[in-house]
Every structure is written in structure tokens, then in C-alpha cells.
Amino acid sequence: MAQVLVWAEHDGAVLKDATRSAVIAAAQLGTVHVLVAGAGVDGVAQVASAIAGVDKVLVADDAAYAHGLAENVAPLIVGLMADYDAFLAPATTTGKNIAPRVAALLDVAQISEILSVEGPRTFTRPIYAGNAIATVESSDAKLVITVRGTAFAKAGDGGPASIETVSATGDTGQSSFIGAETAASERPELTSARVVVSGGRALKDAATFEQVLFPLADRLQAAVGASRAAVDAGFAPNDCQVGQTGKIVAPEVYLAVGISGAIQHLAGMKDSKTIVAINKDEDAPIFQIADIGLVADLFEAVPALTASL
Amino acid sequence: MKILVPVKRVLDYNVKPRVKADGTGVDLANVKMSINPFDEIAVEEAVRLKEQGIASEVVVVSIGPAKAQEVLRSALAMGADRAILVQSDSEVEPLGVAKILQVIADDETPDLILLGKQAIDDDSNQVGQMLAALLGRPQGTFASKLVVEGDHVLVTREVDGGLETLRLALPAIVTTDLRLNAPRYASLPNIMKAKSKPLAIKTPEDYGVDVAPRLRVSKVAEPAVRGVGIRVADVDGLVAKLKELGVA
């Protein structure tokens, strides 16, 4: 049975759900160990050890891993990979930053953003912004894979797995963390929310975007997203962007408000379970993939909708 | 400082990809091909650094078919100084591309390597990180801002929760995200000038790199088609549907 090492995505305090999806994918390949690398990550390790299907948690606790710097983390993973057949990371910005560095050091090809496990070495993955799905088989000795979280279920909790400390590989000194600007929000996180309300350029400006969309999102306990056009126009911050070049989301219900449905946007949300579109242009491409469509002026329809919920 | 910018020729981003009927890939016959948009941003950034007097030379390189000369000429028209085409008629996987670029970087010794975060055809998002690993250099991926300061570079990265800034020791590898800049249109005089700029043609064998594929693509298929949706007449109809879905 293959031994699989999974990268735990966390912010130092909270284990991200994307890890749970990677565990589901990893369990289809073999025995799952989870690597928690960071500084002061005992709490994260405890949470990881409670995930169903996890056999063991490896903890690398060192200041060098505090911000997930690829230059410091990759040598740690490469060292551990002597004992594993596959390395899986969630396809988050952290996973995408680290996994190819690991793959190159192991001299193996990486398989990016898998959607399914078809066999011990065979996977499906999206190409051309999800306009085609490729079935890919690896001939390498070891597998390095990133996992698209929205394509897999999230592992729940189970029995506690054992926790083992691994020794740190140190700071390469090549890069250092200067600072971060994180967007604080009381709403659910975009990539894990059950309902997403997204707005497009039709919302006119940032103030209108907030006035029209936020009350509806709050009523539905939804996360707020935006099309690239709306983000580029400054209506919403970058981290709200849903699309090929933004976040990939697949909530139970995706409400697209005043969004035309450019290929770029569809690539990020078309795997949502139910897509609802409100747009006054009945020929907007978004209606071709919407399960429920309402042709209406959003400035009348959205406040009316918010009021009747 | 010298900047190396790898660029890829890909299906133009405005063209809707069509999967071939036999499931062997996406149909690229007689469709518009262009420079990968993220790579175009990398070229723009390199040329701006040259205009600011920070960079002294911008070298662009592409690995692909003979026709990839077109994207190299576009980059030269934007202001790059010279180009290298590593000609290969078969698809070279990201690891092979990174290995060729490693040898070129060893020859050229650039202070900064700037490239797109991903190509919009295979969407792999690997080459920059792999190249950084092979060269043993720091990496700044998904850059939306780049400031060169002496022997290091400050890179602001677009990450899941917002932005983060890293300090990388030069030489470094930086991959570009959309908001780093808006690439210029090349002027006609610059397009003419680009025709006479040097463009060297090489092969993977010239660099002694084995680019045999590690992955076998057994099938390329259209994504599952969604069922036909319904239209509701008014807001009340929509409310009823949302209630059925259990979200209202």
C-alpha cells in the first residue's frame, strides 16, 4: 500500500478545510500521513490528528516554517519523501507555491489541481481554464500532486492519529517574510461557504456593490464574491475575485448578480451545485449555465429579494 | 542587471477551446495563437525596469515550435533586447522547460528571471517554482508588485487571504499575476525594429536536456454539460426556488 504525505494548509492557528479535501484524495492512494509545518503549531497538529483517515501527523515546529516560505519548506518535504510514494498538497496559493519546488527537487513531474483519482497513477485535471478535462498518467517513481478542494469531499473527524515530531531543516536565508495584508471579514470564507453571492460590473461602483449585495449576502449567510471585471473596476478587493485567475468555488448555491458570464468567470464557479443568475440582459452567457435565471434589473430585483427572504 | 523572461505561445485567451472529436487534445489548427497573457505581463515588467534604468538587458526565451518566433518578436517589439528560441515540435512538460531554462540561466547569469504564474493552456503553474528549485534560488510567485532594492527584491504576492510581501535575495525568480501591470501595445516603428533584433535558434539537445515526457495524457474530454436551467418570472418565483433549495 502506498504511503502518502499530505501538506496541512493552515495559518498558524487554524487548519484550513482544503486540507480535509486533500486527505480524501490521498486516502484513495494509500495510507495518509499529514505534515504540519509551522511555528507553534501544536493546536493545528491536534486538529489534524482528529481527521478521519489520517494515520499519523508529522509536526515540524520551527520559526523557519512560520510563513510557509517555499525555500525553507521544500527541503523539509524532500527529506521526508524518502519514506513516501506520493506528496499531496491542496491547490491553495501555498500548495501551488511549494509543490512544484518539491517536484523539481525530486526530479518528478507534478500533476496540478486534480479533480479525481482514476487509478494508482492516473488522475483527471482541468486544462484551458476548465474548458477541457485531461486524464493524465504518471510514469515517475514518486507522485507530486495538488488537489482542487472543490472537487473532493472534506474528511470529517475520526479517531486521534499519533503525532510525531520531525526535525527541522533550518532557514535557507534566501527569502524572508516582511508583512501581510489580510482581508478581515465576518462573512463565511469564499472557498468554503455554502452560499456565495457574487457581483459584476453592472453594480456600478464600490458603494453600490456594498449597498445592494451585502444585505442579501447577510440574509443568506453567504460569502461575497466578485467577477474580475468588478475587481478590476475597484468595486471589491482582489481576494473576492472568482474566476480562472481568482478563486475556484463550488458552493451549494451560487448567486451571480449582474455578471455577464465571461469564460474567465465561469471557469471559477461552474462546478457550483446550483447556479442562480440575475441579469437584465436575457442573452447574457451566464444564463446558459444557470439552473435558475431571472431576467430583471438587479437594482430592483435584489433589494426586493432581500426584503422577501 | 540582466533579466531573463521565458514566454510561451498559447491559444489566444479570447478563443474558446474546442476539444478534438477523437479525445486526443484541444484543436489548435487554424486558431489564433498569442503570447501567454501572464508572460506578456512579465515582459512588460522587465521592459519597465529597463526604462527605469534598473535593468540593462532583457533577454526573452521561448520553448516551442518554429512559430513561437512570433511571440518572441512580439516581446522584442515591446522592448526586449534579444531572443532565444529552443525549438521543439513536441510538447515539453514544465519540468523539461525548467531544466532547459536552468542551463540557459547558468549561461546567461540573469539577476532576475520573470515569468508568468501559469500558461493558460495547460494551467500547470509549475515552471517558475521548478526553475527556482533547480537553480537553488528564492521564488516570489503570484506577484502583484515588485520593487528592486540593491541586492534584493521585494515581492508582494496575491495569496488566498489577501496580500503578503517577501524579501528575496537576488538572483531570484518571480512569477507574475494579473495586477502587476497592464502590458503596452507595441508601436509600428518598434515592431519594425524588432525584426532586426537578434533571435538565436537552439534545440533541447543543444542544452543537453532530456525532455522526454513523464506524463501520458490518455484522454482529453469536454467537461460535463450542465442540464438546461429554468427561468423564473419574478422575484417571488426566485424566492420560492431558494426556499426549495433550503437556503432561504
Side-chain angles (χ1 to χ4, degrees), chain A residues 155-208:
Chain A
D157 286 340
S162 62
I163 298 180
E164 187 178 303
T165 302
V166 294
S167 41
T169 44
D171 189 342
T172 59
Q174 294 187 330
S175 62
S176 51
F177 176 81
I178 301 295
E181 291 170 49
T182 44
S185 171
E186 286 169 14
R187 296 197 179 83
E189 200 199 353
L190 193 52
T191 51
S192 58
R194 193 172 155 243
V195 183
V196 172
V197 174
S198 264
R201 196 158 45 186
L203 283 145
K204 288 207 175 104
D205 57 42
T208 322

Side-chain angles (χ1 to χ4, degrees), chain A residues 71 97 107 139 174 241 270, chain B residues 99 136 139 141 179 226:
Chain A
E71 297 80 1
N97 193 42
D107 193 30
S139 61
Q174 294 187 330
Q241 188 190 310
K270 64 185 167 54
Chain B
K99 286 181 175 180
Q139 66 189 47
T141 50
R179 286 177 192 84
R226 296 185 74 96

